[in-house]
């Protein structure tokens, strides 16, 4: 279930995201998978071999996934957690 994908500047500003968000150029989506926790989704992405740029467990409510901004960029394969205390590596 996709919560958010491409965002116009107005929508991006309204949700408090940065102008550099990959959502602004259609390279990111926030989603939930029924029957799976965000941790389970992140672990499934990590095990999948997908060429993701970032996968982020956000506020333990949904998962963010993005691809590189340009076709010639290598995916960073960053796995993170964002919550009210800040951003840290997913372990």
């Amino acid at each position: 279930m996709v919560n958010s994908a491409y965002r116009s500047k107005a929508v991006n500003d309204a949700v408090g995201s940065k102008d550099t968000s990959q959502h602004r150029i259609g390279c990111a989506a926030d989603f939930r998978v029924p029957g799976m926790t965000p941790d389970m989704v992140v672990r499934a992405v990590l095990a999948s071999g997908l060429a993701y740029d970032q996968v982020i467990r956000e506020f333990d409510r949904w998962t963010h996934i993005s691809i590189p901004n340009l076709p010639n960029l290598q995916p960073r394969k960053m796995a993170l957690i964002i919550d009210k205390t800040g951003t840290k590596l997913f372990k």
Side-chain angles (χ1 to χ4, degrees), residues 59-72:
F59 302 98
D60 208 23
R61 296 186 57 218
W62 65 85
T63 305
H64 165 101
I65 193 163
S66 63
I67 60 173
N69 295 357
L70 298 169
N72 62 335

Side-chain angles (χ1 to χ4, degrees), residues 40-76:
M40 293 166 69
V41 173
V42 170
R43 291 184 197 292
V45 169
L46 295 176
S48 72
L50 289 171
Y52 66 91
D53 193 52
Q54 292 181 318
V55 62
I56 307 171
R57 186 189 84 195
E58 294 196 35
F59 302 98
D60 208 23
R61 296 186 57 218
W62 65 85
T63 305
H64 165 101
I65 193 163
S66 63
I67 60 173
N69 295 357
L70 298 169
N72 62 335
L73 292 179
Q74 290 296 314
R76 295 177 292 173

Side-chain angles (χ1 to χ4, degrees), residues 7 9 11-24:
R7 294 185 195 145
K9 177 159 178 46
V11 170
N12 202 58
D13 290 348
V15 299
S17 192
K18 298 176 183 175
D19 281 339
T20 57
S21 168
Q22 289 171 301
H23 288 278
R24 290 284 295 118

